[in-house]
């Protein structure tokens, strides 16, 4: 009750102050919190709205061009009597595989006052900061960061004069058809849903899209198709290429997130519409479709993990492992085709982190019309560092301001925010004109066998500004220390991040790897941008699997992973059309082809260079901190090579050759006097 009264008082105060905070009065966003503009956006979202109620049309049928019927819930602003208003409104579309039922349940957590207050009270009271389980607090803070409103429906947004349409994608929820999982038919469905929505009498024809994860990814897909009614999108933790980001990063198959996710979505899609059944209106076509395809893609995942021969792989798997196949191409979005205002949010440890900054860079819009917002979180904790004094606005607040600007034409200053708002790992929030930051220079740091005296690992080596004249060969074997790692937390979407000793400290994982550590920096040193690691390797088999992490090592020895990359050795061929280099030829972002067509088995005993891409980071090494590169022979349980390639590797030890004539090094984007 105290919380409800306090919230009401804050809303009244915010609305009273909003004329003085209004961005239209001349205020310009300053810094990550948006200053006066940010306060005005929060007041607009949290204060009383134009309409007092929400009216819901349940399971509205939307017929696609091939006759398949999708089902959507339509949320209308409603008057005091609970009836939908007659005036047309801008409309927000959310396409979800997680079922409208899931959205409805999550919506209940934030729309029923007493329940919402209870959930928020628990989220605030659970504060384990300073304990070995502070990661729990990092997750509960996301409940107060607005993420649920992005995921489900935002009733405040609807009450302010928007209609929201939440649709089960084909083959999921109560929609008919086979689940097409982000492929061309599903993309066409999204185009048709937008067109259907734009022509309804309750819509002005100005359409926006929102949603999290899958629902963010399909926003990018459809925006690249430029349907005329689509005016703005707000994708939260999206991907432009789920194959490279999640399904097979570096060529290794994700064996934690993907199985759990496929089972969850396939399980949810089998839940029947009991209300329709009770009315005697059960959809028999829905039942036929589910019986025909009960476990979409589960068979392909199992096939790639157990089939020992390449030519015995399932045709779907074969198609995914061919770079130019229509299947694989259907999953890849070209951001350069997006022409509508786009606000991309992400996290440095999100499963899709490799895409988010790339999407922002490639969208051909001026800064302001495109925005990038990246926190220091995981897939399920986006927005956990927001909505409090000195921190950025909540996710729902930013979303509301974005749609008000681009769908209603309200001059609220959101286009002056950022345009790049980043949480520096090791520092605080910053606003930047770009990512990477201006003034960053790439430099090599060479891996050396010389002991640094800072790590307990298979071998404690050093990072130097020049190659070591010594010739050394270091051996590392596959192991299980990755079970306790930030990679595991990332692959589990943040679920295992509650264990600080694994997700925030790599020293247990490092027991199974090679470590290379620099001298301490004398002053704050910024690392901003993608990272490339070159390893000169020797194998005892015809394949292998390498993982590298880039870490910030504190004076007390804590080793925090900033980012990680991986590569199956035989899939080392680089796609030059996607990759970036410096004038001297060094890669800054080597993008592997990841295709069986370009596979090159290793020659046992022959030194072979591998270029491994590490997703871009924004971090600051504080005085006394060190840079570290960890090298592992594998990354279980984040990933395993497809079974035929795993068989070829034999899970044998792998060797790193340290030779000044063919050096191993990290090419890192640095700004500041590192002293290296």
């Amino acid at each position: 009750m105290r919380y409800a009264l306090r919230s009401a008082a804050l809303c009244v105060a915010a609305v009273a102050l909003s004329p003085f905070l209004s961005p239209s009065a001349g205020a310009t966003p300053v810094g990550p919190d948006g200053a006066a503009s940010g306060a005005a956006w929060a007041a607009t979202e949290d204060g009383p709205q134009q309409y007092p109620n929400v009216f819901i049309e349940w399971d509205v049928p939307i017929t696609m061009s091939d006759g398949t019927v999708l089902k959507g819930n339509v949320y209308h602003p409603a008057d005091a009597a609970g009836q939908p208003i007659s005036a047309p409104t801008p409309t927000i579309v959310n396409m979800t595989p997680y079922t409208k039922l899931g959205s409805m349940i999550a919506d209940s957590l934030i729309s029923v006052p007493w329940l919402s207050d209870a959930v928020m009270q628990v989220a605030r009271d659970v504060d384990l900061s300073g304990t070995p389980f502070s990661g729990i607090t990092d997750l509960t803070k996301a409940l107060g960061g607005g993420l649920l409103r992005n995921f489900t429906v935002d009733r405040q947004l609807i009450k302010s004069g928007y209609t929201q349409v939440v649709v089960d994608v084909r083959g999921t929820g109560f929609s008919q058809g086979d689940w097409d999982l982000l492929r061309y038919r599903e993309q066409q469905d999204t185009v048709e849903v937008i067109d259907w929505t734009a022509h309804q009498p309750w819509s002005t024809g100005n359409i926006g899209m929102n949603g999290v994860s899958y629902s963010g990814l399909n926003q990018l897909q459809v925006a690249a198709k430029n349907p005329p009614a689509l005016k703005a999108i707000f994708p939260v933790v999206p991907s432009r290429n789920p194959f490279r980001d999640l399904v097979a990063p570096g060529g290794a198959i994700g064996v934690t997130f993907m199985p759990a996710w496929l089972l969850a979505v396939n399980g949810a899609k089998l839940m029947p519409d009991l209300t329709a059944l009770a009315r005697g209106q059960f959809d028999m076509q829905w039942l036929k479709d589910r019986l025909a395809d009960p476990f979409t893609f589960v068979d392909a995942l199992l096939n790639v993990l157990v089939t020992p021969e390449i030519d015995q792989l399932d045709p779907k798997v074969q198609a995914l492992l061919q770079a130019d196949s229509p299947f694989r191409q259907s999953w890849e979005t070209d951001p350069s085709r997006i022409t509508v205002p786009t606000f991309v949010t992400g996290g440095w440890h999100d499963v899709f982190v490799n895409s988010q900054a790339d999407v922002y860079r490639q969208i051909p819009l001026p800064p302001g019309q495109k925005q990038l917002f990246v926190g220091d979180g995981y897939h399920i904790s986006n927005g956990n560092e927001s909505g409090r004094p000195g921190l950025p606005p909540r996710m729902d607040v930013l979303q509301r301001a974005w749609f008000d600007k681009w769908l209603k034409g309200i001059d609220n200053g959101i286009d002056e925010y950022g345009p790049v708002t980043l949480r520096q790992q090791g520092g605080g929030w910053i606003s930047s004109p770009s990512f990477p930051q201006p003034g960053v220079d790439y430099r090599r740091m060479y891996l050396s066998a010389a002991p640094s005296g800072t790590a307990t690992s298979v071998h404690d080596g050093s990072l130097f500004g020049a190659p070591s004249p010594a010739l050394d060969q270091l051996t590392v074997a596959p192991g299980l220390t990755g079970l306790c790692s930030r990679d595991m937390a990332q692959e589990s979407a943040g679920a295992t991040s509650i264990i600080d000793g694994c997700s925030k400290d790599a020293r247990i994982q490092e027991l199974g790897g090679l470590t290379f550590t620099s001298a301490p920096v004398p002053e704050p040193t910024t690392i901003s941008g993608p990272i490339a690691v070159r390893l000169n390797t020797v194998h005892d088999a015809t394949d292998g699997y390498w993982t590298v992490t880039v870490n910030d090592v504190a004076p007390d020895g804590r080793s925090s992973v900033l980012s990680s990359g991986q590569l199956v050795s035989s899939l080392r061929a680089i796609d030059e059309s996607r990759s970036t280099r410096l004038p001297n030829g060094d890669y800054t972002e080597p993008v592997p082809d990841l295709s069986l067509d370009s596979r090159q088995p290793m020659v046992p005993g022959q030194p072979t260079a591998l270029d491994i891409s590490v997703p871009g980071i924004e971090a600051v090494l504080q005085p006394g901190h060190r840079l570290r590169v960890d090298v592992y022979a594998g990354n279980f349980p984040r990933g395993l090579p497809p079974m035929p390639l795993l068989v070829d590797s034999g899970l044998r030890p792998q060797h790193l050759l340290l030779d000044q004539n063919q050096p191993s090094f990290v090419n890192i984007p640095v700004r500041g006097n590192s002293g290296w």
Side-chain angles (χ1 to χ4, degrees):
M1 178 63 74
R2 284 200 308 273
Y3 172 66
L5 292 174
R6 185 165 65 250
S7 297
L10 287 172
C11 284
V12 171
V15 171
L17 287 171
S18 61
F20 304 100
L21 299 175
S22 172
S24 62
T28 299
V30 177
D33 65 354
S37 294
W41 302 333
T44 299
E45 172 72 356
D46 293 339
Q49 303 300 322
Q50 183 178 2
Y51 303 102
N53 289 307
V54 173
F55 178 86
I56 307 173
E57 291 184 84
W58 301 102
D59 295 312
V60 175
I62 308 172
T63 303
M64 299 292 98
S65 57
D66 66 350
T68 301
V69 177
L70 308 187
K71 296 292 183 67
N73 291 342
V74 183
Y75 296 77
H76 300 277
D79 60 23
Q83 294 303 304
I85 64 171
S86 58
T89 67
T91 306
I92 310 300
V93 170
N94 183 320
M95 303 290 293
T96 179
Y98 304 121
T99 79
K100 303 183 310 303
L101 180 62
S103 295
M104 181 191 71
I105 293 171
D107 175 49
S108 299
L109 293 173
I110 54 178
S111 62
V112 179
W114 67 266
L115 185 56
S116 174
D117 290 347
V119 170
M120 296 307 299
Q121 190 68 45
V122 169
R124 278 194 313 278
D125 288 347
V126 176
D127 189 352
L128 299 177
S129 301
T131 75
F133 298 97
S134 68
I136 294 176
T137 301
D138 295 338
L139 295 181
T140 59
K141 285 178 181 177
L143 291 174
L147 187 63
L148 278 178
R149 285 180 174 170
N150 300 101
F151 179 73
T152 59
V153 295
D154 184 348
R155 288 176 178 255
Q156 289 291 90
L157 185 73
I158 296 164
K159 291 177 181 179
S160 74
Y162 289 86
T163 300
Q164 183 154 8
V165 180
V166 181
V167 181
D168 291 329
V169 301
R170 172 184 298 254
T172 71
F174 298 157
S175 291
Q176 296 175 357
D178 294 341
W179 184 24
D180 201 41
L181 211 162
L182 296 167
R183 292 189 292 178
Y184 291 126
R185 180 62 247 189
E186 183 180 296
Q187 294 170 35
Q188 179 61 29
D189 288 348
T190 307
V191 171
E192 293 179 18
V193 168
I194 289 172
D195 182 68
W196 175 88
T197 302
H199 286 89
Q200 298 306 301
W202 34 259
S203 175
T204 61
N206 288 336
I207 310 300
M209 289 190 75
N210 78 334
V212 178
S213 188
Y214 194 105
S215 302
L217 201 160
N218 62 27
Q219 290 179 60
L220 298 179
Q221 289 181 327
V222 74
K225 295 181 179 297
N226 294 294
L230 186 63
K231 306 301 181 185
I233 61 175
F234 195 93
V236 177
V237 290
S239 169
R240 64 160 295 204
N241 193 325
F243 176 80
R244 290 181 175 275
D245 290 348
L246 178 63
V247 176
I253 305 300
V255 294
T256 300
F257 184 96
M258 284 300 298
W261 181 76
L262 282 173
L263 288 173
V265 176
N266 277 292
K269 79 178 189 182
L270 299 176
M271 185 176 297
D273 185 349
L274 298 178
T275 302
L277 184 63
R279 293 196 306 260
Q281 299 174 336
F282 187 70
D283 186 347
M284 293 305 297
Q285 184 60 50
W286 176 93
L287 180 59
K288 292 178 183 177
D289 292 339
R290 293 303 183 271
L291 291 175
D293 183 33
F295 299 111
T296 308
F297 285 96
V298 173
D299 56 341
L301 179 65
L302 293 175
N303 176 265
V304 76
L305 293 177
V306 302
T307 303
E309 300 292 338
I310 289 178
D311 58 6
Q312 296 175 1
L313 290 172
D314 182 281
K316 290 194 290 288
V317 175
Q318 295 265 11
L320 273 177
L321 294 176
Q322 303 294 341
D324 59 354
S325 71
F327 188 166
R328 177 124 152 227
Q329 291 294 313
S330 70
W331 277 5
E332 183 165 356
T333 299
D334 180 0
S336 68
R337 299 176 61 87
I338 296 176
T339 59
V340 297
T342 301
F343 197 119
V344 177
T345 83
W348 295 125
H349 310 296
D350 182 59
V351 291
F352 296 137
V353 63
N354 210 36
S355 279
Q356 289 147 8
D358 189 42
V359 168
Y360 173 82
R361 286 194 298 268
Q362 292 197 42
I363 292 176
L365 291 173
Q369 291 184 37
K370 62 177 181 178
Q371 300 263 349
L372 176 66
F373 181 102
V374 185
D376 189 19
Y378 298 90
H379 201 61
I380 60 175
S381 59
N382 194 260
N384 67 335
E385 297 177 293
S386 61
R388 293 179 295 281
L391 297 179
R394 300 191 315 263
M395 292 294 100
D396 59 321
V397 169
L398 290 170
Q399 174 180 267
R400 167 71 177 278
W402 195 246
F403 289 141
D404 278 354
K405 168 66 179 179
W406 301 113
L407 271 64
K408 288 188 173 181
I410 298 173
D411 185 15
N412 56 14
I414 188 65
D415 52 325
E416 300 295 328
Y417 185 62
V420 176
T421 306
L422 307 172
R423 170 66 154 81
Q424 279 193 320
Q425 297 183 74
W429 284 93
I430 63 168
S431 295
S432 174
S434 64
F435 175 77
Q437 284 195 55
V440 167
D441 292 317
Y442 274 87
R443 64 164 300 161
R444 289 185 180 187
M445 291 292 285
Y446 294 89
L447 279 59
S448 168
S452 73
T454 64
T456 301
S457 59
V458 173
H459 183 89
D460 166 33
S462 296
L463 284 178
F464 293 138
S468 171
L471 178 64
D472 296 282
Q473 181 170 294
L474 306 178
T475 299
V476 61
L480 296 177
T481 57
L483 285 164
C484 180
S485 68
R486 175 155 264 173
D487 268 337
M488 178 60 185
Q490 184 175 8
E491 176 67 13
S492 67
T496 63
S497 67
I498 62 175
I499 308 172
D500 286 7
C502 295
S503 63
K504 295 182 180 179
D505 193 341
R507 283 179 287 186
I508 292 178
Q509 184 187 18
E510 287 172 348
L511 294 172
L514 309 173
T515 58
F516 303 90
T517 312
S518 76
V521 298
E523 61 184 50
T525 301
T526 297
I527 302 172
S528 179
I531 297 169
V533 175
R534 165 159 283 204
L535 300 181
N536 191 16
T537 66
V538 177
H539 294 68
D540 296 333
T542 57
D543 217 333
Y545 176 32
W546 295 86
T547 297
V548 296
T549 68
V550 176
N551 302 14
D552 174 354
V553 181
D556 66 1
R558 172 173 286 206
S559 179
S560 302
V561 173
L562 303 174
S563 190
S564 68
Q566 53 197 331
L567 183 66
V568 174
S569 303
S570 66
L571 300 179
R572 63 190 179 278
I574 299 297
D575 184 342
E576 295 293 347
S577 68
R578 301 170 182 267
S579 304
T580 55
R581 292 178 182 261
L582 296 174
N584 69 357
D586 283 356
Y587 286 111
T588 56
E589 195 167 10
V591 179
D593 188 51
L594 300 185
S595 177
L596 292 177
D597 287 343
S598 57
R599 182 176 182 243
Q600 305 171 55
M602 306 299 290
V603 178
Q606 178 176 303
T608 304
L610 304 179
D611 291 293
I612 302 177
S613 177
V614 177
I617 59 174
E618 179 66 38
V620 58
L621 302 180
Q622 299 295 348
H625 285 234
R626 302 168 185 261
L627 181 72
R628 176 175 291 166
V629 172
D630 292 339
V631 178
Y632 302 96
N635 200 8
F636 185 83
R638 184 176 182 184
L640 283 174
M643 182 54 67
L645 311 190
L646 186 65
V647 169
D648 285 353
S649 76
L651 292 175
R652 294 187 182 185
Q654 299 169 186
H655 314 286
L656 182 63
L657 185 62
L658 302 178
D659 180 352
Q660 65 175 341
N661 297 315
Q662 294 180 305
S664 297
F665 59 89
V666 56
N667 198 19
I668 192 157
V670 179
R671 190 179 72 179
N673 178 21
S674 63
W676 295 329

